[in-house]
Amino acid sequence: MPHDLSKEFFALYHAAVFASLGEDAHKYNARIGALLADSWLKSLKERPSGNEAFKEALEAYFRESFSFADMAEMTFSPGGEASIHIKGCDICHGNEMLRNSGKKGSCPISQMVKSAMGKTLKGGVELTKSEKPGPIGECYLKYRIKEED
C-alpha cells in the first residue's frame, strides 16, 4: 500500500545521510544537486527558454511531483539576479539536526537550482547568498547569472 514519507522521517534521513558523508558532504551536496537537476531536465518535454519559462517550469515541478516544501517561488531581477523563496522546507529540518550536532547543513536544492539554471539559461551561475529570515524551513536562495560570451 503506497504512502507518503513523513516530514520527520525525511528530516532524519537527510541528516543521517549527510552526517555519514563527514568532511566530504559539501562535495556530495553539489553532485546530488546536479543529479537532481539532470533528472528534472530529462523529464521535461522541452527545456524552458528564458527566465519566465524556467520559473514556470521549476515552480510547477516543485508544486507537483517534487514537493519538498510548502511553497517555492522564483523571481528574476534585471542585471542577472535570481532568487527562490522557500517556505516549509523538509530538508531544512534535517539541516537543523545537523547543526545541532555540530555539523554543517547541506542543501541540495540550492545546488539543483544553480545547476539547472546554468544548463538551461546558458550562463555561469553563482549561489551568492542563503538568507533564513523566518522559522526553520524558510529561506531565500540568491543567485547571480552571468551570460556566456
Side-chain angles (χ1 to χ4, degrees):
M1 175 159 39
H3 60 83
D4 293 331
L5 295 175
S6 71
K7 289 181 178 270
E8 292 80 13
F9 170 81
F10 188 81
L12 282 167
Y13 185 79
H14 174 80
V17 167
F18 279 95
S20 72
L21 295 173
E23 296 298 317
D24 292 331
H26 69 282
K27 294 179 202 172
Y28 287 101
N29 186 51
R31 181 74 181 127
I32 291 167
L35 290 168
L36 291 171
D38 289 346
S39 177
W40 171 56
L41 293 172
K42 286 178 187 171
S43 76
L44 298 172
K45 291 179 184 166
E46 63 182 63
R47 285 195 182 184
S49 60
N51 294 352
E52 191 59 31
F54 182 88
K55 168 192 167 21
E56 289 173 12
L58 186 69
E59 286 178 354
Y61 184 59
F62 284 170
R63 246 188 341 271
E64 296 161 7
S65 63
F66 195 78
S67 59
F68 69 95
D70 297 333
M71 182 207 84
E73 294 177 347
M74 181 144 215
T75 57
F76 286 90
S77 303
E81 304 293 322
S83 68
I84 185 161
H85 182 198
I86 299 169
K87 286 186 174 181
C89 176
D90 298 339
I91 295 168
C92 287
H93 292 279
N95 283 334
E96 189 65 16
M97 290 176 192
L98 287 167
R99 284 190 279 279
N100 288 338
S101 67
K103 295 172 179 60
K104 286 181 141 184
S106 294
C107 178
I109 300 303
S110 67
Q111 299 300 314
M112 175 194 179
V113 173
K114 176 183 172 184
S115 179
M117 279 195 294
K119 292 173 180 177
T120 304
L121 303 176
K122 306 294 185 206
V125 179
E126 174 188 4
L127 175 65
T128 58
K129 189 183 282 189
S130 174
E131 295 176 355
K132 300 184 181 306
I136 298 169
E138 180 178 13
C139 74
Y140 287 91
L141 300 172
K142 301 195 175 202
Y143 301 90
R144 180 174 297 114
I145 306 163
K146 297 177 187 172
E147 292 184 24
E148 287 183 341
D149 294 328

